[in-house]
């Protein structure tokens, strides 16, 4: 019987590999640069919105408190007049990449842990590389990619952006599955 603790090496190595490959994807390759575009008159927007001193958080404009209000004529008018947006307001500060990178690495370890958990339940010791790689790869793909689909469904994120993140998830999944298949007891 294999335990999750027996798989600490592929968990850590796959997290390290995903961490470095994600660096290459986001800092060297250019296909994510079109995920966000600037506003036509960013200066005016920043001046107008900045004066409101909106605290960090997630917001909807227009906002309604309940489904009854959403059905009201006044709210429907706001939707037609616009603007309609969901937005995340960040603190006024330089990006804290160290914190985000640390969280990303911990997340990659967590994906690896759950891949290991599913694998020890489903796969016997001595299984073939391909058997391990396929199962772990699918679990890793779900962990790294499927949440992005919800953003396109519910928040209107461009599908092209979601497909780019799903491609990244596929690369991370292949790496994770590869390490587990290679180091499977």
């Amino acid at each position: 019987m294999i335990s999750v603790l027996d798989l600490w090496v592929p968990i850590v190595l796959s997290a390290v590999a995903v961490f470095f490959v994600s660096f290459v994807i986001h800092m060297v390759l250019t296909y994510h640069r079109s995920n966000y575009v600037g506003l036509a008159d960013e200066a005016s927007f920043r001046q107008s919105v900045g004066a409101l001193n909106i605290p960090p958080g997630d917001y909807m404009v227009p906002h309604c408190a309940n489904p009854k209000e959403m059905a009201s004529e006044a709210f429907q008018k706001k939707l037609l007049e616009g603007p309609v947006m969901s937005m995340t307001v960040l603190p006024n500060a330089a990006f804290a990449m160290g914190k985000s990178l640390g969280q990303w690495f911990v997340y990659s370890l967590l994906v690896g842990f759950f891949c290991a958990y599913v694998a020890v339940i489903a796969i016997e010791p001595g299984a073939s590389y391909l058997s391990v790689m396929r199962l772990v790869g699918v679990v890793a793909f779900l962990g790294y990619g499927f949440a992005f689909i919800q953003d396109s469904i519910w928040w209107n994120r461009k599908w092209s952006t979601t497909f780019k993140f799903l491609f990244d998830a596929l690369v991370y999944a292949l790496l994770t599955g590869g390490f587990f298949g290679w180091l499977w007891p």
Side-chain angles (χ1 to χ4, degrees), residues 31-32 35 141 145 148-149 152 157-170:
Y31 64 91
H32 279 290
N35 290 357
F141 182 70
F148 292 110
I149 295 170
S152 288
R157 171 178 271 167
K158 295 182 298 188
W159 280 101
S160 61
T161 298
T162 295
F163 291 134
K164 287 184 242 178
F165 283 124
L166 288 172
F167 175 77
D168 299 349
L170 178 62

PDB file of all heavy atoms in Angstrom, residues 31-32 35 141 145 148-149 152 157-170:
ATOM      1  N   TYR A  31       2.045  35.287 -24.992  1.00  0.00           N
ATOM      2  CA  TYR A  31       0.640  35.075 -25.326  1.00  0.00           C
ATOM      3  C   TYR A  31      -0.355  35.532 -24.262  1.00  0.00           C
ATOM      4  O   TYR A  31      -1.538  35.643 -24.544  1.00  0.00           O
ATOM      5  CB  TYR A  31       0.372  33.642 -25.776  1.00  0.00           C
ATOM      6  CG  TYR A  31       0.598  32.545 -24.756  1.00  0.00           C
ATOM      7  CD1 TYR A  31      -0.437  32.112 -23.929  1.00  0.00           C
ATOM      8  CD2 TYR A  31       1.816  31.909 -24.662  1.00  0.00           C
ATOM      9  CE1 TYR A  31      -0.243  31.091 -23.031  1.00  0.00           C
ATOM     10  CE2 TYR A  31       2.022  30.886 -23.769  1.00  0.00           C
ATOM     11  CZ  TYR A  31       0.987  30.473 -22.952  1.00  0.00           C
ATOM     12  OH  TYR A  31       1.189  29.450 -22.069  1.00  0.00           O
ATOM     13  N   HIS A  32       0.077  35.838 -23.047  1.00  0.00           N
ATOM     14  CA  HIS A  32      -0.849  36.350 -22.028  1.00  0.00           C
ATOM     15  C   HIS A  32      -0.944  37.883 -22.025  1.00  0.00           C
ATOM     16  O   HIS A  32      -1.769  38.443 -21.312  1.00  0.00           O
ATOM     17  CB  HIS A  32      -0.445  35.876 -20.631  1.00  0.00           C
ATOM     18  CG  HIS A  32      -0.906  34.492 -20.330  1.00  0.00           C
ATOM     19  ND1 HIS A  32      -2.232  34.175 -20.141  1.00  0.00           N
ATOM     20  CD2 HIS A  32      -0.224  33.325 -20.190  1.00  0.00           C
ATOM     21  CE1 HIS A  32      -2.349  32.893 -19.885  1.00  0.00           C
ATOM     22  NE2 HIS A  32      -1.137  32.357 -19.926  1.00  0.00           N
ATOM     23  N   ASN A  35      -4.426  39.483 -22.473  1.00  0.00           N
ATOM     24  CA  ASN A  35      -5.535  39.134 -21.584  1.00  0.00           C
ATOM     25  C   ASN A  35      -6.305  40.367 -21.125  1.00  0.00           C
ATOM     26  O   ASN A  35      -7.519  40.310 -20.946  1.00  0.00           O
ATOM     27  CB  ASN A  35      -5.039  38.377 -20.350  1.00  0.00           C
ATOM     28  CG  ASN A  35      -4.563  36.977 -20.675  1.00  0.00           C
ATOM     29  OD1 ASN A  35      -4.632  36.520 -21.807  1.00  0.00           O
ATOM     30  ND2 ASN A  35      -4.056  36.288 -19.678  1.00  0.00           N
ATOM     31  N   PHE A 141      -4.810  18.670 -14.212  1.00  0.00           N
ATOM     32  CA  PHE A 141      -5.481  19.569 -15.161  1.00  0.00           C
ATOM     33  C   PHE A 141      -6.739  20.163 -14.555  1.00  0.00           C
ATOM     34  O   PHE A 141      -6.998  21.362 -14.680  1.00  0.00           O
ATOM     35  CB  PHE A 141      -5.795  18.827 -16.463  1.00  0.00           C
ATOM     36  CG  PHE A 141      -6.429  19.699 -17.505  1.00  0.00           C
ATOM     37  CD1 PHE A 141      -5.695  20.697 -18.126  1.00  0.00           C
ATOM     38  CD2 PHE A 141      -7.749  19.532 -17.864  1.00  0.00           C
ATOM     39  CE1 PHE A 141      -6.271  21.515 -19.099  1.00  0.00           C
ATOM     40  CE2 PHE A 141      -8.340  20.340 -18.834  1.00  0.00           C
ATOM     41  CZ  PHE A 141      -7.597  21.335 -19.448  1.00  0.00           C
ATOM     42  N   GLY A 145      -6.818  24.114 -14.016  1.00  0.00           N
ATOM     43  CA  GLY A 145      -7.515  24.789 -15.099  1.00  0.00           C
ATOM     44  C   GLY A 145      -8.990  25.029 -15.016  1.00  0.00           C
ATOM     45  O   GLY A 145      -9.469  26.050 -15.498  1.00  0.00           O
ATOM     46  N   PHE A 148     -11.070  28.400 -14.230  1.00  0.00           N
ATOM     47  CA  PHE A 148     -11.088  29.509 -15.189  1.00  0.00           C
ATOM     48  C   PHE A 148     -12.332  29.483 -16.074  1.00  0.00           C
ATOM     49  O   PHE A 148     -12.802  30.527 -16.512  1.00  0.00           O
ATOM     50  CB  PHE A 148      -9.828  29.484 -16.067  1.00  0.00           C
ATOM     51  CG  PHE A 148      -8.580  29.797 -15.303  1.00  0.00           C
ATOM     52  CD1 PHE A 148      -7.634  28.810 -15.066  1.00  0.00           C
ATOM     53  CD2 PHE A 148      -8.355  31.065 -14.809  1.00  0.00           C
ATOM     54  CE1 PHE A 148      -6.490  29.098 -14.347  1.00  0.00           C
ATOM     55  CE2 PHE A 148      -7.211  31.358 -14.090  1.00  0.00           C
ATOM     56  CZ  PHE A 148      -6.276  30.372 -13.857  1.00  0.00           C
ATOM     57  N   ILE A 149     -12.872  28.311 -16.320  1.00  0.00           N
ATOM     58  CA  ILE A 149     -14.075  28.199 -17.142  1.00  0.00           C
ATOM     59  C   ILE A 149     -15.237  28.943 -16.482  1.00  0.00           C
ATOM     60  O   ILE A 149     -16.016  29.626 -17.158  1.00  0.00           O
ATOM     61  CB  ILE A 149     -14.410  26.720 -17.410  1.00  0.00           C
ATOM     62  CG1 ILE A 149     -13.301  26.081 -18.239  1.00  0.00           C
ATOM     63  CG2 ILE A 149     -15.761  26.577 -18.104  1.00  0.00           C
ATOM     64  CD1 ILE A 149     -13.404  24.570 -18.372  1.00  0.00           C
ATOM     65  N   SER A 152     -15.393  32.653 -17.299  1.00  0.00           N
ATOM     66  CA  SER A 152     -15.977  33.009 -18.598  1.00  0.00           C
ATOM     67  C   SER A 152     -17.490  32.825 -18.591  1.00  0.00           C
ATOM     68  O   SER A 152     -18.217  33.603 -19.203  1.00  0.00           O
ATOM     69  CB  SER A 152     -15.353  32.172 -19.717  1.00  0.00           C
ATOM     70  OG  SER A 152     -14.035  32.589 -19.963  1.00  0.00           O
ATOM     71  N   ARG A 157     -15.436  36.765 -18.668  1.00  0.00           N
ATOM     72  CA  ARG A 157     -14.023  36.832 -19.072  1.00  0.00           C
ATOM     73  C   ARG A 157     -13.945  36.324 -20.503  1.00  0.00           C
ATOM     74  O   ARG A 157     -14.632  35.388 -20.886  1.00  0.00           O
ATOM     75  CB  ARG A 157     -13.168  35.955 -18.168  1.00  0.00           C
ATOM     76  CG  ARG A 157     -11.731  35.816 -18.694  1.00  0.00           C
ATOM     77  CD  ARG A 157     -10.866  35.003 -17.811  1.00  0.00           C
ATOM     78  NE  ARG A 157     -10.266  35.918 -16.845  1.00  0.00           N
ATOM     79  CZ  ARG A 157      -9.638  35.536 -15.752  1.00  0.00           C
ATOM     80  NH1 ARG A 157      -9.539  34.275 -15.454  1.00  0.00           N
ATOM     81  NH2 ARG A 157      -9.121  36.426 -14.948  1.00  0.00           N
ATOM     82  N   LYS A 158     -13.090  36.945 -21.298  1.00  0.00           N
ATOM     83  CA  LYS A 158     -12.940  36.518 -22.694  1.00  0.00           C
ATOM     84  C   LYS A 158     -12.590  35.026 -22.732  1.00  0.00           C
ATOM     85  O   LYS A 158     -11.716  34.571 -21.994  1.00  0.00           O
ATOM     86  CB  LYS A 158     -11.826  37.304 -23.378  1.00  0.00           C
ATOM     87  CG  LYS A 158     -12.083  38.779 -23.538  1.00  0.00           C
ATOM     88  CD  LYS A 158     -10.943  39.464 -24.279  1.00  0.00           C
ATOM     89  CE  LYS A 158      -9.634  39.359 -23.524  1.00  0.00           C
ATOM     90  NZ  LYS A 158      -8.544  40.147 -24.086  1.00  0.00           N
ATOM     91  N   TRP A 159     -13.278  34.284 -23.609  1.00  0.00           N
ATOM     92  CA  TRP A 159     -12.977  32.867 -23.751  1.00  0.00           C
ATOM     93  C   TRP A 159     -11.549  32.658 -24.232  1.00  0.00           C
ATOM     94  O   TRP A 159     -10.898  31.667 -23.876  1.00  0.00           O
ATOM     95  CB  TRP A 159     -13.984  32.187 -24.678  1.00  0.00           C
ATOM     96  CG  TRP A 159     -15.267  31.874 -23.954  1.00  0.00           C
ATOM     97  CD1 TRP A 159     -16.438  32.581 -24.004  1.00  0.00           C
ATOM     98  CD2 TRP A 159     -15.498  30.805 -23.036  1.00  0.00           C
ATOM     99  NE1 TRP A 159     -17.373  32.013 -23.186  1.00  0.00           N
ATOM    100  CE2 TRP A 159     -16.822  30.912 -22.574  1.00  0.00           C
ATOM    101  CE3 TRP A 159     -14.714  29.758 -22.557  1.00  0.00           C
ATOM    102  CZ2 TRP A 159     -17.378  30.015 -21.673  1.00  0.00           C
ATOM    103  CZ3 TRP A 159     -15.273  28.866 -21.654  1.00  0.00           C
ATOM    104  CH2 TRP A 159     -16.589  28.997 -21.224  1.00  0.00           C
ATOM    105  N   SER A 160     -11.028  33.589 -25.005  1.00  0.00           N
ATOM    106  CA  SER A 160      -9.641  33.439 -25.472  1.00  0.00           C
ATOM    107  C   SER A 160      -8.677  33.437 -24.289  1.00  0.00           C
ATOM    108  O   SER A 160      -7.696  32.678 -24.285  1.00  0.00           O
ATOM    109  CB  SER A 160      -9.282  34.544 -26.464  1.00  0.00           C
ATOM    110  OG  SER A 160      -9.389  35.820 -25.859  1.00  0.00           O
ATOM    111  N   THR A 161      -8.950  34.249 -23.277  1.00  0.00           N
ATOM    112  CA  THR A 161      -8.114  34.260 -22.075  1.00  0.00           C
ATOM    113  C   THR A 161      -8.242  32.941 -21.336  1.00  0.00           C
ATOM    114  O   THR A 161      -7.237  32.355 -20.899  1.00  0.00           O
ATOM    115  CB  THR A 161      -8.517  35.436 -21.164  1.00  0.00           C
ATOM    116  OG1 THR A 161      -8.298  36.667 -21.865  1.00  0.00           O
ATOM    117  CG2 THR A 161      -7.721  35.448 -19.867  1.00  0.00           C
ATOM    118  N   THR A 162      -9.459  32.452 -21.201  1.00  0.00           N
ATOM    119  CA  THR A 162      -9.681  31.177 -20.527  1.00  0.00           C
ATOM    120  C   THR A 162      -8.955  30.051 -21.245  1.00  0.00           C
ATOM    121  O   THR A 162      -8.320  29.196 -20.608  1.00  0.00           O
ATOM    122  CB  THR A 162     -11.192  30.887 -20.416  1.00  0.00           C
ATOM    123  OG1 THR A 162     -11.770  31.876 -19.563  1.00  0.00           O
ATOM    124  CG2 THR A 162     -11.470  29.501 -19.868  1.00  0.00           C
ATOM    125  N   PHE A 163      -9.020  30.023 -22.587  1.00  0.00           N
ATOM    126  CA  PHE A 163      -8.333  28.964 -23.328  1.00  0.00           C
ATOM    127  C   PHE A 163      -6.814  29.043 -23.142  1.00  0.00           C
ATOM    128  O   PHE A 163      -6.139  28.008 -23.078  1.00  0.00           O
ATOM    129  CB  PHE A 163      -8.711  28.994 -24.807  1.00  0.00           C
ATOM    130  CG  PHE A 163     -10.139  28.590 -25.061  1.00  0.00           C
ATOM    131  CD1 PHE A 163     -10.934  29.322 -25.915  1.00  0.00           C
ATOM    132  CD2 PHE A 163     -10.698  27.487 -24.429  1.00  0.00           C
ATOM    133  CE1 PHE A 163     -12.249  28.959 -26.139  1.00  0.00           C
ATOM    134  CE2 PHE A 163     -12.011  27.112 -24.644  1.00  0.00           C
ATOM    135  CZ  PHE A 163     -12.797  27.850 -25.513  1.00  0.00           C
ATOM    136  N   LYS A 164      -6.278  30.243 -23.007  1.00  0.00           N
ATOM    137  CA  LYS A 164      -4.834  30.366 -22.747  1.00  0.00           C
ATOM    138  C   LYS A 164      -4.497  29.777 -21.382  1.00  0.00           C
ATOM    139  O   LYS A 164      -3.493  29.068 -21.227  1.00  0.00           O
ATOM    140  CB  LYS A 164      -4.399  31.825 -22.827  1.00  0.00           C
ATOM    141  CG  LYS A 164      -4.370  32.377 -24.235  1.00  0.00           C
ATOM    142  CD  LYS A 164      -3.847  33.797 -24.229  1.00  0.00           C
ATOM    143  CE  LYS A 164      -4.896  34.737 -24.730  1.00  0.00           C
ATOM    144  NZ  LYS A 164      -4.475  36.132 -24.701  1.00  0.00           N
ATOM    145  N   PHE A 165      -5.331  30.075 -20.377  1.00  0.00           N
ATOM    146  CA  PHE A 165      -5.090  29.514 -19.046  1.00  0.00           C
ATOM    147  C   PHE A 165      -5.277  27.993 -19.040  1.00  0.00           C
ATOM    148  O   PHE A 165      -4.572  27.281 -18.317  1.00  0.00           O
ATOM    149  CB  PHE A 165      -5.985  30.170 -17.998  1.00  0.00           C
ATOM    150  CG  PHE A 165      -5.517  31.535 -17.585  1.00  0.00           C
ATOM    151  CD1 PHE A 165      -6.354  32.631 -17.679  1.00  0.00           C
ATOM    152  CD2 PHE A 165      -4.241  31.731 -17.079  1.00  0.00           C
ATOM    153  CE1 PHE A 165      -5.936  33.892 -17.294  1.00  0.00           C
ATOM    154  CE2 PHE A 165      -3.795  32.986 -16.691  1.00  0.00           C
ATOM    155  CZ  PHE A 165      -4.649  34.069 -16.797  1.00  0.00           C
ATOM    156  N   LEU A 166      -6.213  27.486 -19.845  1.00  0.00           N
ATOM    157  CA  LEU A 166      -6.382  26.038 -19.952  1.00  0.00           C
ATOM    158  C   LEU A 166      -5.168  25.399 -20.633  1.00  0.00           C
ATOM    159  O   LEU A 166      -4.754  24.287 -20.258  1.00  0.00           O
ATOM    160  CB  LEU A 166      -7.665  25.697 -20.702  1.00  0.00           C
ATOM    161  CG  LEU A 166      -8.961  25.958 -19.934  1.00  0.00           C
ATOM    162  CD1 LEU A 166     -10.167  25.761 -20.842  1.00  0.00           C
ATOM    163  CD2 LEU A 166      -9.049  25.070 -18.703  1.00  0.00           C
ATOM    164  N   PHE A 167      -4.582  26.079 -21.605  1.00  0.00           N
ATOM    165  CA  PHE A 167      -3.350  25.573 -22.213  1.00  0.00           C
ATOM    166  C   PHE A 167      -2.242  25.506 -21.163  1.00  0.00           C
ATOM    167  O   PHE A 167      -1.520  24.502 -21.066  1.00  0.00           O
ATOM    168  CB  PHE A 167      -2.921  26.443 -23.398  1.00  0.00           C
ATOM    169  CG  PHE A 167      -1.609  26.023 -23.979  1.00  0.00           C
ATOM    170  CD1 PHE A 167      -1.523  24.907 -24.804  1.00  0.00           C
ATOM    171  CD2 PHE A 167      -0.446  26.730 -23.685  1.00  0.00           C
ATOM    172  CE1 PHE A 167      -0.301  24.490 -25.328  1.00  0.00           C
ATOM    173  CE2 PHE A 167       0.781  26.321 -24.198  1.00  0.00           C
ATOM    174  CZ  PHE A 167       0.844  25.209 -25.020  1.00  0.00           C
ATOM    175  N   ASP A 168      -2.103  26.577 -20.358  1.00  0.00           N
ATOM    176  CA  ASP A 168      -1.117  26.566 -19.270  1.00  0.00           C
ATOM    177  C   ASP A 168      -1.370  25.380 -18.343  1.00  0.00           C
ATOM    178  O   ASP A 168      -0.438  24.677 -17.940  1.00  0.00           O
ATOM    179  CB  ASP A 168      -1.199  27.848 -18.443  1.00  0.00           C
ATOM    180  CG  ASP A 168      -0.909  29.106 -19.218  1.00  0.00           C
ATOM    181  OD1 ASP A 168      -0.441  29.025 -20.371  1.00  0.00           O
ATOM    182  OD2 ASP A 168      -1.179  30.201 -18.668  1.00  0.00           O
ATOM    183  N   ALA A 169      -2.653  25.167 -17.994  1.00  0.00           N
ATOM    184  CA  ALA A 169      -3.013  24.069 -17.097  1.00  0.00           C
ATOM    185  C   ALA A 169      -2.623  22.725 -17.690  1.00  0.00           C
ATOM    186  O   ALA A 169      -2.175  21.823 -16.973  1.00  0.00           O
ATOM    187  CB  ALA A 169      -4.511  24.115 -16.789  1.00  0.00           C
ATOM    188  N   LEU A 170      -2.757  22.585 -19.006  1.00  0.00           N
ATOM    189  CA  LEU A 170      -2.357  21.348 -19.669  1.00  0.00           C
ATOM    190  C   LEU A 170      -0.849  21.126 -19.533  1.00  0.00           C
ATOM    191  O   LEU A 170      -0.394  20.015 -19.232  1.00  0.00           O
ATOM    192  CB  LEU A 170      -2.766  21.373 -21.142  1.00  0.00           C
ATOM    193  CG  LEU A 170      -2.372  20.155 -21.973  1.00  0.00           C
ATOM    194  CD1 LEU A 170      -3.032  18.885 -21.436  1.00  0.00           C
ATOM    195  CD2 LEU A 170      -2.730  20.379 -23.439  1.00  0.00           C
TER     196      LEU A 170
END
